[in-house]
Amino acid sequence: MENLHFLTRFDYTLIIVALGAALLGTVSGALGTYAVLRRQSLLGDAISHAALPGIVIAFMLTGSKTPLILVLGAAIAGWLGTLIILSIVRLTRIKYDSAFSLVLSTFFGFGLVLLTQIQRNGDANQAGLDDFIFGQAATMLKRDVLTIGILGGFALVIMLILWKELKLLVFDEGFAASIGFPTRVLDILLTSLFVIAIVIGLQAVGAVLMSAMLVAPAVAARQWTDKISLMVLLAACFGALAGVSGTFISSIAVGIPTGPTIILCATVIVGFSIAFAPNRGLLWNSIRQHRNRRSLKIATAKLIGAAATKNQIKNDTRPS
Amino acid sequence: MQVPDAKAIEVTDLTVAYRETPVLWDIDLDVPPGVLLAIVGPNGAGKTTLIKAILGLVRPAAGNVLIYNKPYDAQRRIVGYVPQRGSVDWDFPTNVLDVVMMGRYGALGWIKRPGKQDRELAMQALEKVGMEKYTNRQISQLSGGQQQRVFLARALVQDATVYLMDEPFQGVDATTERAIVTLLQELRENGKTVVVVHHDLQTVTDYFDWVTFLNIRRIASGPVDDTFTPENLRETYGGRIAFMKNR
């Protein structure tokens, strides 16, 4: 009865929003596995921040807020940002972290400047664009969810088709190249999949926090399994869970932003996994350590005991 | 396919540079088929780079590499590679059998997944390196020697004619070292060519029949009996090799 009441109160809109959040959580969770295993977690941050000016420019050029157009603008800018980072690292002596923060803040800053500019010019149609900074899932419409579903589904299908190639690329790039796989092409492809996973979540989660959706579910999933297929599956589930629960919690009261709530839900999953997962979890570790220490103590005591007895016998039998 | 006295590997005028610094300078190297060759030289001599250049993994500034008279791209099916153990993250979520099966990916090509036959080949390779009991073991739970054996098994699955191995003895215990040497010598008996980056000068004469001294330039290369001389050692390692005189 309680549930039914809940459903009728929020009904259609909420279901649409939750569906969108679940979809983007699934996609970013699954693909995030590769980012985490490749130690490219920062890449998501660069992509999401760099995407902001792309969204604004796409709107300025077309005057339209059609999700596909905005997402396309985001993807192009996100890609461009990543490309610039990789080129800086390859062509200069500037290190990764510096290149990352340089590009990330420049692009994001540029996006903010453009955004304030069009807000001041009083184009009423621009309202809602600033949702892309912190995310606003509540404004998600059916066409947004459709866009997420199609693009995300496409990315997941590519991931599944190239399962073996991507796994090899992430585990041992040198070996992959030696047996003839074009690792540069695969690398670009994988980065493109990251770009898709990021840009489809920008509206709901926001540019500032979206990269956490790439990282958090995968980090949590790694705690529970030692098998990459299971890790991808679990990360997808965790991502969806975070998306849905975040959406529901933020819908309870007016003014709770969805993006941060989704990220907090993901963080709870990560925290729980790090604490309680078997084998890798902290609790498990400390139990194991405690046990080891105790059995070591017993073993040492036995050894000392045995040695003492032996000495005793020696001393007793030694002629004085 | 093999011309009677074809060279298994032929490196001509190979120069590799990182930025302005040459890592390999004008290397000429002929490896005859069916030898077990050690590449020795001090740290930073370019041993790993030479292996990678032969495999086309680093782009040379100049020079040419041929495998049985053809460029590497045309011959990669007959070349097996064992990278340095430390070059991958052993905490990667996968198991022993899966890593060994990666040796079949080249033959499988794009998209196609490994099947029953690939599994059997991987199992055979694991038996050869004495790791058949560890098939489903997480790779993070392997010792250094076991990791090395897994990498060797992956190369064996490639069923190559020419093998390039980067420090297969690095960080392994005496038993594993013995087992690996036996395996390498077996490969040679079967007519394979095996090139090994090696660090331990004490064992060169016992394990290998061919040796290449490398220190940015190629100092010398040939059968161990004529080539493993104090002069070549001194020229390769400078004064740091005084203890070798007692041999």
Side-chain angles (χ1 to χ4, degrees):
Chain A
M1 213 41 218
E2 189 69 37
N3 273 342
L4 214 62
H5 176 68
F6 189 66
L7 272 181
T8 45
R9 194 149 62 97
F10 294 101
D11 63 273
Y12 188 66
T13 318
L14 188 63
I15 289 171
I16 285 288
V17 171
L19 189 66
L23 277 174
L24 77 90
T26 307
V27 176
S28 60
L31 288 167
T33 303
Y34 292 92
V36 167
L37 290 177
R38 264 200 122 186
R39 299 169 185 206
Q40 286 187 323
S41 305
L42 280 174
L43 205 57
D45 231 4
I47 295 169
S48 68
H49 283 74
L52 188 64
I55 293 167
V56 187
I57 291 173
F59 170 76
M60 288 163 83
L61 288 180
T62 63
S64 142
K65 282 196 291 186
T66 316
L68 197 62
I69 288 174
L70 297 187
V71 160
L72 200 68
I76 291 170
W79 227 118
L80 200 66
T82 317
L83 208 68
I84 293 175
I85 291 171
L86 298 178
S87 314
I88 290 177
V89 173
R90 189 158 342 115
L91 301 175
T92 72
R93 294 189 179 213
I94 298 169
K95 298 280 183 292
Y96 251 115
D97 52 342
S98 313
F100 265 123
S101 42
L102 262 175
V103 171
L104 181 151
S105 39
T106 310
F107 269 68
F108 194 62
F110 183 50
L112 288 180
V113 168
L114 290 178
L115 203 57
T116 14
Q117 203 54 42
I118 58 166
Q119 275 170 342
R120 213 166 277 155
N121 287 348
D123 183 348
N125 196 24
Q126 56 76 31
L129 274 187
D130 54 346
D131 283 345
F132 281 94
I133 300 174
F134 292 115
Q136 186 49 266
T139 58
M140 224 191 271
L141 302 173
K142 204 168 150 194
R143 56 175 193 179
D144 299 309
V145 177
L146 211 62
T147 310
I148 293 175
I150 291 170
L151 287 174
F154 172 74
L156 287 185
V157 166
I158 300 277
M159 179 196 84
L160 289 175
I161 290 176
L162 294 177
W163 180 265
K164 146 177 141 258
E165 288 76 12
L166 292 178
K167 182 173 69 178
L168 184 60
L169 176 81
V170 175
F171 176 64
D172 195 345
E173 196 171 332
F175 187 76
S178 83
I179 58 175
F181 289 108
T183 47
R184 277 287 287 283
V185 174
L186 284 171
D187 194 9
I188 290 169
L189 187 94
L190 188 57
T191 309
S192 309
L193 296 185
F194 293 158
V195 170
I196 294 178
I198 289 284
V199 294
I200 60 172
L202 287 178
Q203 188 196 2
V205 183
V208 177
L209 294 173
M210 186 52 207
S211 71
M213 280 305 277
L214 204 62
V215 180
V219 168
R222 182 69 186 92
Q223 298 294 313
W224 298 92
T225 176
D226 278 326
K227 209 171 160 195
I228 183 167
S229 51
L230 214 56
M231 186 179 165
V232 168
L233 196 68
L234 264 179
C237 293
F238 287 158
L241 183 66
V244 173
S245 49
T247 311
F248 274 93
I249 292 171
S250 73
S251 71
I252 287 170
V254 182
I256 303 179
T258 331
T261 318
I262 290 176
I263 299 304
L264 285 178
C265 289
T267 313
V268 170
I269 297 174
V270 171
F272 181 82
S273 303
I274 289 178
F276 299 114
N279 293 323
R280 285 182 168 250
L282 289 174
L283 182 74
W284 191 269
N285 263 335
S286 75
I287 290 174
R288 192 164 40 202
Q289 248 173 38
H290 186 73
R291 260 195 218 141
N292 283 348
R293 213 170 288 154
R294 214 176 53 187
S295 59
L296 189 69
K297 260 185 199 157
I298 294 169
T300 323
K302 273 187 187 156
L303 264 176
I304 293 171
T309 331
K310 216 171 164 187
N311 271 340
Q312 196 66 44
I313 296 166
K314 242 192 218 160
N315 286 341
D316 286 350
T317 50
R318 202 182 323 190
S320 43
Chain B
M1 182 182 69
Q2 277 167 237
V3 192
D5 57 350
K7 291 151 188 158
I9 303 172
E10 187 180 2
V11 178
T12 331
D13 302 331
L14 182 76
T15 295
V16 178
Y18 288 133
R19 302 196 186 279
E20 299 86 38
T21 332
V23 186
L24 290 174
W25 188 259
D26 200 18
I27 305 283
D28 287 304
L29 179 65
D30 290 341
V31 183
V35 298
L36 181 47
L37 174 137
I39 300 177
V40 297
N43 290 331
K47 303 185 292 285
T48 295
T49 310
L50 177 57
I51 295 262
K52 285 189 172 169
I54 292 172
L55 290 163
L57 299 181
V58 297
R59 200 201 299 255
N64 198 11
V65 175
L66 294 176
I67 312 279
Y68 281 112
N69 298 324
K70 285 185 194 146
Y72 180 75
D73 284 342
Q75 298 284 53
R76 60 172 92 249
R77 250 335 76 78
I78 63 159
V79 180
Y81 173 40
V82 178
Q84 257 179 49
R85 184 161 58 85
S87 66
V88 304
D89 175 13
W90 288 92
D91 198 32
F92 191 85
T94 191
N95 64 22
V96 167
L97 185 66
D98 198 38
V99 172
V100 176
M101 223 117 77
M102 288 174 185
R104 293 288 304 154
Y105 285 10
L108 281 169
W110 287 92
I111 298 166
K112 213 172 151 218
R113 304 285 167 91
K116 204 175 154 206
Q117 196 200 348
D118 304 297
R119 223 184 141 80
E120 270 162 25
L121 288 168
M123 284 306 298
Q124 284 168 18
L126 279 168
E127 270 166 41
K128 272 189 207 143
V129 299
M131 287 285 290
E132 68 275 12
K133 282 187 202 135
Y134 297 89
T135 316
N136 292 315
R137 181 69 67 92
Q138 277 316 302
I139 58 169
S140 58
Q141 287 163 15
L142 300 175
S143 71
Q146 291 169 334
Q147 291 173 354
Q148 199 64 68
R149 288 175 194 227
V150 169
F151 260 14
L152 275 168
R154 183 176 70 173
L156 291 179
V157 167
Q158 290 185 273
D159 194 23
T161 312
V162 177
Y163 284 95
L164 297 162
M165 306 186 178
D166 202 345
E167 301 210 27
F169 298 111
Q170 196 262 319
V172 306
D173 56 42
T175 330
T176 307
E177 180 155 336
R178 210 52 253 175
I180 293 176
V181 170
T182 313
L183 192 75
L184 299 189
Q185 287 168 348
E186 221 176 273
L187 286 172
R188 181 193 48 197
E189 303 316 320
N190 292 329
K192 319 279 189 189
T193 309
V194 187
V195 174
V196 176
V197 170
H198 194 54
H199 246 134
D200 184 8
L201 293 171
Q202 314 285 343
T203 52
V204 170
T205 45
D206 295 340
Y207 294 172
F208 298 93
D209 52 15
W210 208 270
V211 66
T212 296
F213 285 97
L214 188 72
N215 192 353
I216 315 281
R217 295 159 188 275
R218 195 209 69 182
I219 310 294
S221 186
V224 168
D225 294 339
D226 328 330
T227 317
F228 199 71
T229 60
E231 293 76 49
N232 283 334
L233 279 165
R234 205 172 306 122
E235 203 182 329
T236 310
Y237 287 85
R240 281 168 289 167
I241 204 69
F243 71 93
M244 286 298 297
K245 276 188 205 141
N246 301 336
R247 282 186 65 89

